[in-house]
C-alpha cells in the first residue's frame, strides 16, 4: 500500500502497524512524536494503530530553532 | 526573579537555531545560563533524531518548543500538540506568522490558536506584535506571558520603537518577554530598561562571530538592564543641568 510519510511517498506491506513504519523512519523513538491524518497519536498507541492506503503520517522531533 | 505560570526562570532565554554543532550549543548554553532554551519541531526526515534534545537535557535547561514557521492557527495547534508529545512539556512558544517574507505575526490566527491551546491545557507564550490591544487579547484568552517583537526576526535592528514595548508592558500584568530583533547586548539591556521581564535572543548569539562570547555579553546585559530598571533612570530634560556645584568656582 502507498502512503505519505513526512510529505514523501512510502510503500509498505498491507497490514503494517504504525510501529512497523517507525522502526525504519525513527529507529530511536525518544523525543519523537507522530501525527496520523492530522491528529497526534500517543506513543503508547503506536503498536495498535494499523496503517491504511493513502494515510498521511508526520514523524517529528526537536530541532534547533528560535 | 521572573515567574511564568508559577515557575521561576532566569531572564535571558536562548534560541538554538543557527548554531553549527552540538558542542557549540553546549558552550553557548553554559555561557548564557538561560532560563529557557527554545527548539523547533521538524520532520525527522529533515533532521535526524535525538541528539539536540539529549544535549539540552544533559545541560539541565528547561526546553521550550516553538511553532516557528506555522502559517495558520490549525498548523500551529497541531505542531504544539506534536511538541507536547515529543518533549513531554505543555509549554509552547506560539508563533503564527502571516507570511514567509516579513515573518510578522498573524495576530488574528495567533489569538485563535492561543485560545485553543489554553483550552487544551497548554501554557502559551505567544510571539506577537508590539501592540497593547493584541497583548490584552492574548492575556484575556489565558496566555501566561506575551512576547512582543523589537524588530523583525533575524533583522538585528534592535527595538525599532521603544514606545510599543512600553505600551505592551503597561497593558498587561503577565510577564513581557522581548522576542526578535535583538542584534547586540546593549539592545537586550534596553529591553529590560523598558520594563521587559526577559529577553529571548537567537540569531544575535547563534550567528555572532563568537557565539559563546556574545552569549555571555547578553547574560550580563540582561542583568544590567534589569538592575537599571529597578534603580530608576533619571527623567530626560530639555536643557543641561550641571552635576558639579556652581558656587565656589575659581576666579568668580
Amino acid at each position: 500500500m502507498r502512503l505519505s510519510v513526512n510529505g514523501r511517498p512510502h510503500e509498505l506491506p498491507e497490514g503494517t502497524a504504525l510501529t512497523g513504519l517507525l522502526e525504519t523512519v525513527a529507529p530511536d523513538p525518544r523525543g519523537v512524536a507522530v501525527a496520523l491524518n492530522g491528529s497526534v497519536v500517543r506513543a503508547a498507541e503506536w503498536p495498535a494503530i494499523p496503517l491504511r492506503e493513502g494515510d498521511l503520517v508526520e514523524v517529528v522531533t526537536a530541532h534547533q530553532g528560535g | 526573579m521572573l515567574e511564568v505560570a508559577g515557575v521561576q526562570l532566569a531572564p535571558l532565554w536562548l534560541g538554538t537555531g543557527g548554531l553549527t554543532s552540538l558542542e557549540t550549543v553546549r558552550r553557548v548554553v553554559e555561557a548564557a545560563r538561560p532560563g529557557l532554551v527554545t527548539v523547533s519541531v521538524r520532520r525527522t526526515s529533515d533532521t535526524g533524531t535525538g541528539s539536540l534534545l539529549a544535549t539540552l537535557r544533559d545541560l539541565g535547561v528547561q526546553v521550550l518548543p516553538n511553532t516557528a514557521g506555522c502559517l495558520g492557527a490549525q498548523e500551529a495547534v497541531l505542531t504544539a500538540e506534536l511538541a507536547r508529545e515529543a518533549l513531554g512539556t505543555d509549554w509552547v512558544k506560539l508563533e503564527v506568522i502571516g507570511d514567509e517574507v516579513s515573518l510578522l505575526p498573524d495576530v488574528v490566527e495567533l489569538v485563535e490558536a492561543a485560545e485553543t491551546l489554553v483550552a487544551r491545557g497548554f501554557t502559551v507564550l505567544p510571539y506577537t506584535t508590539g501592540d497593547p490591544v493584541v497583548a490584552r487579547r492574548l492575556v484575556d484568552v489565558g496566555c501566561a506571558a506575551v512576547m512582543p517583537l523589537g524588530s523583525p526576526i533575524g533583522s538585528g535592528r534592535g527595538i525599532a520603537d521603544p514606545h510599543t514595548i512600553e505600551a505592551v508592558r503597561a497593558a498587561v500584568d503577565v510577564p513581557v518577554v522581548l522576542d526578535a530583533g535583538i542584534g547586540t547586548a546593549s539592545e537586550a539591556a534596553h529591553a529590560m530598561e523598558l520594563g521587559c521581564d526577559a529577553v529571548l535572543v537567537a540569531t544575535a548569539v547563534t550567528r555572532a562571530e563568537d557565539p559563546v562570547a556574545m552569549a555571555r555579553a547578553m547574560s550580563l546585559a540582561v542583568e544590567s538592564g534589569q538592575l537599571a530598571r529597578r534603580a530608576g533612570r533619571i527623567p530626560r530634560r530639555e536643557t543641561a543641568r550641571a552635576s558639579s556645584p556652581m558656587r565656589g568656582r575659581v576666579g568668580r
Side-chain angles (χ1 to χ4, degrees):
Chain A
M1 60 182 174
R2 287 177 67 81
L3 33 80
S4 164
V5 179
N6 285 343
R8 290 170 199 155
H10 205 90
E11 192 79 38
L12 279 176
E14 290 290 335
T16 306
L18 195 47
T19 32
L21 168 68
L22 293 175
E23 277 164 16
T24 59
V25 298
D28 180 359
R30 287 173 300 179
V32 169
V34 177
L36 175 61
N37 300 322
S39 297
V40 175
V41 182
R42 295 267 157 93
E45 297 164 13
W46 293 349
I49 301 286
L51 293 172
R52 297 191 173 85
E53 175 81 22
D55 275 347
L56 302 174
V57 186
E58 296 280 354
V59 186
V60 302
T61 191
H63 189 55
Q64 287 171 251
Chain B
M1 189 70 162
L2 165 64
E3 192 172 303
V4 179
V7 179
Q8 295 197 332
L9 297 167
L12 176 62
W13 299 3
L14 185 70
T16 51
L19 289 169
T20 49
S21 72
L22 289 175
E23 178 53 25
T24 314
V25 170
R26 177 182 298 280
R27 291 175 59 215
V28 162
V29 168
E30 283 169 350
R33 287 173 290 123
L36 288 169
V37 173
T38 63
V39 297
S40 59
V41 175
R42 292 291 181 265
R43 289 169 163 172
T44 52
S45 42
D46 295 313
T47 60
T49 59
S51 46
L52 173 65
L53 205 52
T55 300
L56 295 175
R57 293 254 156 91
D58 187 43
L59 286 161
V61 289
Q62 189 171 338
V63 176
L64 176 66
N66 67 30
T67 62
C70 289
L71 280 160
Q74 195 182 352
E75 185 184 343
V77 167
L78 177 59
T79 302
E81 297 268 19
L82 284 165
R84 174 155 71 178
E85 178 68 14
L87 278 72
T89 174
D90 53 19
W91 286 41
V92 64
K93 179 190 151 187
L94 180 62
E95 242 184 82
V96 187
I97 56 171
D99 65 74
E100 291 173 356
V101 178
S102 71
L103 302 180
L104 290 172
D106 180 332
V107 297
V108 176
E109 296 282 320
L110 181 67
V111 173
E112 184 189 324
E115 187 165 23
T116 302
L117 289 170
V118 169
R120 294 184 189 179
F122 282 85
T123 295
V124 180
L125 291 70
Y127 159 69
T128 184
T129 50
D131 180 334
V133 180
V134 174
R136 266 199 299 268
R137 292 278 188 178
L138 290 164
V139 174
D140 287 347
V141 300
C143 291
V146 290
M147 305 181 68
L149 62 97
S151 51
I153 292 172
S155 70
R157 299 209 302 254
I159 298 171
D161 181 357
H163 299 294
T164 65
I165 303 303
E166 288 177 320
V168 169
R169 168 70 289 167
V172 298
D173 52 13
V174 297
V176 176
V177 183
L178 197 287
D179 181 11
I182 297 295
T184 189
S186 55
E187 293 155 3
H190 189 199
M192 298 301 283
E193 288 166 2
L194 292 169
C196 291
D197 301 280
V199 178
L200 173 57
V201 292
T203 312
V205 166
T206 63
R207 299 194 198 279
E209 282 185 32
D210 183 342
V212 179
M214 188 59 89
R216 179 81 182 116
M218 290 296 180
S219 179
L220 292 167
V222 166
E223 186 182 347
S224 176
Q226 191 173 42
L227 275 172
R229 171 75 177 186
R230 286 183 194 148
R233 64 153 296 142
I234 59 163
R236 290 177 174 81
R237 291 169 55 88
E238 291 296 316
T239 55
R241 179 182 185 177
S243 59
S244 304
M246 297 304 270
R247 284 184 63 191
R249 285 176 288 172
V250 174
R252 299 266 184 154

